[in-house]
Amino acid sequence: MALFGQNVPEDLRSRLERGERVLSQARVAAPAGGAPGSEGTGPAAVLVATTRALYLPDGRSVPWQDIDQARWTPDALTFVEEGVGEHTVRLRTELTGDPVDYRRIAETVAERVTSTILVNRFVPFPTTESATGFRLVARRAPLGSEIDWRVHLGEDLDPGDPRLSDAVSRALALLHEQMGV
């Protein structure tokens, strides 16, 4: 069985930070957002999960704490990068090359993203009985110490509503006090 770091393109290996380790990888059909047959589909086109980030076949890396959510099919990984938007990475399939067992990299992505979340709290708004509301999420980079708080508003909430701003501030203060974060 090959070691996880084997077959990682040398240009990617040279960009890894000191102490950063490759946890899993998968060959891909095209760079993120690309089409099959586009540049990057050669033997070096891989999706690589390390201890610090997800390295895309187009050369970019996305730190784990910036991946908001991810979903898999046997053919693709689709994820949302905080502040950037949705990305899709097509995996090789029977139609585009060798089949890929994506389960190891999917498991790694799920574990790494989850490990960056310190607090994830839904707050109903405008009343405590509301089905709508906002989510407060505290995240930290792997091996980091700085905590980044994010507010995710539910559908139909007006970000300009002063009552919402006040509710977010109160809920955030309460969480700081309760969690010590």
Side-chain angles (χ1 to χ4, degrees):
M1 179 178 198
L3 297 174
F4 294 128
Q6 289 184 346
N7 302 320
V8 173
E10 187 53 42
D11 63 325
L12 183 132
R13 186 181 300 285
S14 66
R15 293 189 351 234
L16 299 180
E17 293 181 31
R18 184 181 179 127
E20 187 173 10
R21 293 184 342 265
V22 172
L23 301 173
S24 61
Q25 61 184 318
R27 288 183 295 154
V28 298
S38 65
E39 184 180 340
T41 60
V46 293
L47 179 65
V48 178
T50 72
T51 50
R52 296 182 194 268
L54 181 65
Y55 286 83
L56 304 177
D58 66 2
R60 289 188 336 104
S61 66
V62 181
W64 294 119
Q65 68 273 14
D66 291 343
I67 297 177
D68 204 29
Q69 56 184 273
R71 62 188 180 279
W72 293 86
T73 67
D75 298 327
L77 157 68
T78 301
F79 68 94
V80 176
E81 182 179 359
E82 183 80 29
V84 176
E86 189 172 275
H87 302 281
T88 298
V89 179
R90 289 181 35 92
L91 303 173
R92 285 193 188 274
T93 66
E94 295 78 32
L95 300 174
T96 58
D98 298 329
V100 170
D101 181 356
Y102 66 89
R103 292 172 295 184
R104 181 178 298 278
I105 196 160
E107 181 179 286
T108 303
V109 169
E111 185 275 327
R112 292 275 105 189
V113 169
T114 301
S115 73
T116 67
I117 300 170
L118 303 173
V119 177
N120 184 353
R121 179 78 49 95
F122 177 77
V123 180
F125 181 83
T127 70
T128 56
E129 292 81 31
S130 296
T132 62
F134 56 90
R135 186 165 296 283
L136 295 174
V137 181
R139 297 187 77 174
R140 178 174 49 207
L143 305 174
S145 59
E146 187 174 319
I147 296 170
D148 181 28
W149 281 93
R150 299 169 188 182
V151 179
H152 299 273
L153 300 180
E155 291 183 30
D156 301 327
L157 291 184
D158 176 11
D161 183 344
R163 296 175 308 138
L164 177 61
S165 178
D166 185 51
V168 168
S169 295
R170 283 193 323 270
L172 191 55
L174 183 61
L175 273 178
H176 280 299
E177 183 181 314
Q178 289 176 338
M179 308 296 281
V181 180

